[in-house]
Amino acid sequence: MTRIAKRPPLGAFTLASDRWTEPFWDAAEEHRLTCARCGACGHFRMPPTPFCPVCRSQSIEWPTLPGTGTLYSYTIVERATLPGTEHTIPYVPAVVTLDGADGRRMVTNIVDSAIDAVRIGAPVHVVFDTLEDGTVIPRFRLGESAA
Amino acid sequence: MEHGSAAGRSTVSTRFALRDRTAIVGLGATPYVKRGHSAPQTLEELVGKAIIAAANDAGVAVPDIDGFAYFAGGFDTGYLMETLGIRDCGFTASLTGSGGGSAGAVGLASAAILSGHAETVVVVGAVQQGTLRYGAIPTSYAASPESSFYQSAGLVGPGHMFALLARRHMHLHGTTRDHFADVAITVRDNAVGHPTALMQKPLTRDEYFAAPMISDPHCLYDFCLETDGAVAVIVTSTERARDLKQRPVLVHASAHGGAGEWARSIYWMDMPDETFASSGHAAIARRLFAAADVDVGGIDTAQIYDHFTSQVLMQLEDYGFCGKGEGGLFVASGAVARNGRLPINTDGGQLSGGYIWGMSHVREAVEQLRGTAHHQVAGARTALVTGGPSNVPVSGLILRSDR
Ligand SMILES: [Zn+2]
């Protein structure tokens, strides 16, 4: 039987944001994947922070990315660390190199994909998951696009 | 006097000021017990017991302790002073971060002594996981704007984070689960028969591969133990150390911190490709060996922070015991076994001995250099101790027997 990557257990997770990260989550609500880019020198950074580490500028831009990327690394979680989350097994925390962001990566999950097909270098595309409280989280599926 | 060499000497005298001028003179510990089994003792009680034992071992009166050097935030010095009847304190400081500071806290104690802040400094680390498992420690931190980026991916514990690094290492270098098993089996072999170690049954390769997978590629035996306990060491000047009870173990070199590209590494996963599948110790290894008068070939035994088997391989690479990507082959060759050229974690380490947040490694290195270790490495004079792979700071320590 093909095992499918599930959603991770988020327990009591409540999104926290500040003026430097809010635009990322706002874009997700609009089903847009973005990445912070320095308005002065163009350096991408993730997660977003108050200063560009290259030029110290506080100018920040939020370009819309294509929403595709490459799987950089992953782990298949086979055992629930927290009691009561067994139904989320297996889930797949992953690091994805984002297309259009100069090699920046995002810590995320591979979801709705065959566990057996998960491999480093695989093309992935973004999907947007809405949590019960309305928070939208970008995650990824295997394959170059939804089609 | 030739100008170049004069400049060289002056650099040495300031930069390498630590070298052999302070010493570990006392060692104290509680028993290592399985998580939750130290109840009803309190954490502060475990800390106090380790400090009293360390002072007794050194032949130092507890009230004469006048400095506290910690890592991971440390403990409440005021409470410890009241509890233990310590008269006067001239130094109380902690390295930042978590277990990555364990080895470096000894260097912090040395800095306190050499700067004249204190004379008799205790370094203490303790864990009691009755209520919160360290395996789920990031869940205890309230979500912040920064942590929301990895907590939302279900990265519940360090085991998930380091599995991402391990998988990448396998992809880049052909490292296999057999190599992780080599570490687990070797370190277990050191635990068997060791009086302080929790795991007393040998681990076979079949048992390793039959164990449940936790966070692929890490199975049960790739994870360290969950332990309660405390370890303390007393540090003083080498001059004074030579008048005390025990054979001094000299603090030869110490370094803590790390490279900017590794700073939030395991939470942000934004390290450059060349260092992603590493332990983050390469920068510390450079500082440590630059401050030492030995190179990597001069290390007789290494007590390597083993929260995960895969991170042992990557530290062996980062300290230069083998080439980048060759950690798997190095352990498969038997080099890190007790009869190999670099015996590691001779007390069973954190994988099979007990997890005291890195302090058990300091303890075992001191035993080796005193010549009192249960699995004594013949002729061991110089030992490496590492603290963490974690976010910055990580740390390293070179200890040496006196004369
Ligand atoms: Zn910039």
Side-chain angles (χ1 to χ4, degrees):
Chain A
M1 197 181 97
T2 308
R3 295 200 310 152
I4 300 293
K6 298 184 184 173
R7 263 76 183 161
L10 293 189
F13 171 78
T14 309
L15 180 75
S17 63
D18 59 21
R19 59 181 288 222
W20 298 104
T21 68
E22 236 162 48
F24 177 89
W25 302 108
D26 289 348
E29 276 186 31
E30 298 165 8
H31 287 206
R32 218 161 43 77
L33 185 66
T34 182
C35 179
R37 183 174 68 194
C38 175
C41 78
H43 178 76
F44 283 93
R45 61 188 192 267
M46 190 69 178
T49 47
F51 301 94
C52 168
V54 173
C55 76
R56 264 60 65 188
S57 168
Q58 291 200 280
S59 168
I60 194 164
E61 297 169 349
W62 301 95
T64 299
L65 303 182
T68 52
T70 307
L71 185 56
Y72 184 79
S73 197
Y74 65 92
T75 175
I76 303 160
V77 178
E78 299 280 11
R79 185 185 266 199
T81 307
L82 303 172
T85 60
E86 291 77 10
H87 62 284
T88 66
I89 299 302
Y91 70 93
V92 183
V95 181
V96 165
T97 307
L98 302 172
D99 286 345
D102 199 25
R104 282 287 85 66
R105 304 182 200 123
M106 184 177 160
V107 180
T108 183
N109 296 105
I110 299 300
V111 294
D112 301 334
S113 304
I115 293 280
D116 287 350
V118 176
R119 58 175 173 78
I120 290 177
V124 296
H125 66 274
V126 72
V127 293
F128 293 94
D129 279 354
T130 306
L131 305 186
E132 269 177 31
D133 68 359
T135 302
V136 178
I137 299 189
R139 291 178 174 143
F140 289 82
R141 284 184 195 164
L142 294 182
E144 279 162 23
S145 70
Chain B
M1 187 185 287
E2 195 262 310
H3 179 73
S5 70
R9 266 199 294 279
S10 122
T11 305
V12 167
S13 67
T14 52
R15 214 166 140 221
F16 306 153
L18 206 64
R19 190 184 285 175
D20 299 337
R21 290 169 64 198
T22 58
I24 295 176
V25 293
L27 205 53
T30 67
Y32 305 162
V33 296
K34 196 171 155 57
R35 173 174 71 90
H37 289 218
S38 60
Q41 299 168 98
T42 64
L43 180 62
E44 291 74 16
E45 201 177 336
L46 297 178
V47 169
K49 285 179 178 177
I51 293 175
I52 293 166
N56 289 345
D57 180 65
V60 164
V62 173
D64 291 343
I65 292 169
D66 67 349
F68 296 81
Y70 308 113
F71 59 99
F75 302 96
D76 187 320
T77 293
Y79 181 89
L80 290 176
M81 290 177 73
E82 296 274 10
T83 306
L84 298 173
I86 290 170
R87 282 191 293 261
D88 192 43
C89 173
F91 188 86
T92 169
S94 174
L95 296 188
T96 56
S98 57
S102 49
V106 175
L108 179 64
S110 299
I113 292 156
L114 295 177
S115 60
H117 282 79
E119 277 189 355
T120 308
V121 181
V122 66
V123 180
V124 62
V127 282
Q128 192 177 42
Q129 305 187 61
T131 49
L132 175 72
R133 303 175 66 175
Y134 280 30
I137 202 163
T139 61
S140 71
Y141 308 143
S144 68
E146 182 244 2
S147 74
S148 289
F149 283 87
Y150 53 85
Q151 287 191 357
S152 61
L155 290 180
V156 176
H160 299 152
M161 297 162 184
F162 284 105
L164 293 167
L165 277 54
R167 173 55 65 187
R168 185 80 191 164
H169 198 273
M170 296 168 89
H171 172 78
L172 290 177
H173 304 299
T175 307
T176 65
R177 290 192 59 212
D178 263 300
H179 296 138
F180 302 156
D182 288 328
V183 173
I185 292 166
T186 300
V187 174
R188 174 63 63 88
D189 188 53
N190 295 341
V192 173
H194 193 287
T196 67
L198 285 170
M199 306 307 277
Q200 290 292 336
K201 206 166 99 25
L203 176 67
T204 68
R205 200 163 293 266
D206 285 348
E207 284 168 330
Y208 174 90
F209 279 99
M213 188 60 77
I214 307 248
S215 189
D216 181 286
H218 285 159
C219 75
L220 179 68
Y221 294 117
D222 295 310
F223 282 67
C224 65
L225 305 176
E226 295 181 301
T227 311
D228 289 357
V231 173
V233 300
I234 307 276
V235 183
T236 191
S237 68
T238 298
E239 196 182 355
R240 181 156 168 256
R242 289 179 178 144
D243 295 330
L244 292 172
K245 208 162 115 187
Q246 304 289 350
R247 184 181 175 193
V249 170
L250 308 182
V251 180
H252 183 67
S254 168
H256 73 262
E261 63 188 30
W262 186 264
R264 290 294 288 167
S265 50
I266 64 164
Y267 290 167
W268 291 16
M269 300 289 168
D270 63 345
M271 309 81 103
D273 194 37
E274 309 78 65
T275 47
F276 183 92
S278 82
S279 70
H281 274 261
I284 289 306
R286 276 193 296 277
R287 282 179 180 271
L288 198 60
F289 285 117
D293 67 8
V294 289
D295 61 16
V296 67
I299 302 294
D300 300 317
T301 177
Q303 308 301 325
I304 295 183
Y305 198 98
D306 51 346
H307 47 1
F308 300 101
T309 54
S310 55
Q311 282 293 315
V312 173
L313 305 184
M314 295 185 220
Q315 286 175 84
L316 290 167
E317 295 172 8
D318 284 348
Y319 278 91
F321 291 108
C322 58
K324 180 92 187 142
E326 295 170 2
L329 297 174
F330 188 71
V331 297
S333 76
V336 297
R338 289 209 300 282
N339 59 359
R341 76 168 164 90
L342 181 76
I344 64 164
N345 303 8
T346 41
D347 66 340
Q350 303 184 129
L351 290 165
S352 287
Y355 177 83
I356 315 293
W357 239 7
M359 284 302 291
S360 59
H361 292 314
V362 175
R363 178 191 191 185
E364 175 64 7
V366 170
E367 297 279 17
Q368 286 290 348
L369 298 176
R370 283 179 175 180
T372 53
H374 179 77
H375 293 307
Q376 182 63 45
V377 175
R381 280 206 69 224
T382 307
L384 172 72
V385 184
T386 72
S390 186
N391 292 329
V392 167
V394 299
S395 61
L397 177 68
I398 296 176
L399 298 175
R400 172 174 280 185
S401 54
D402 195 17
R403 303 205 175 108

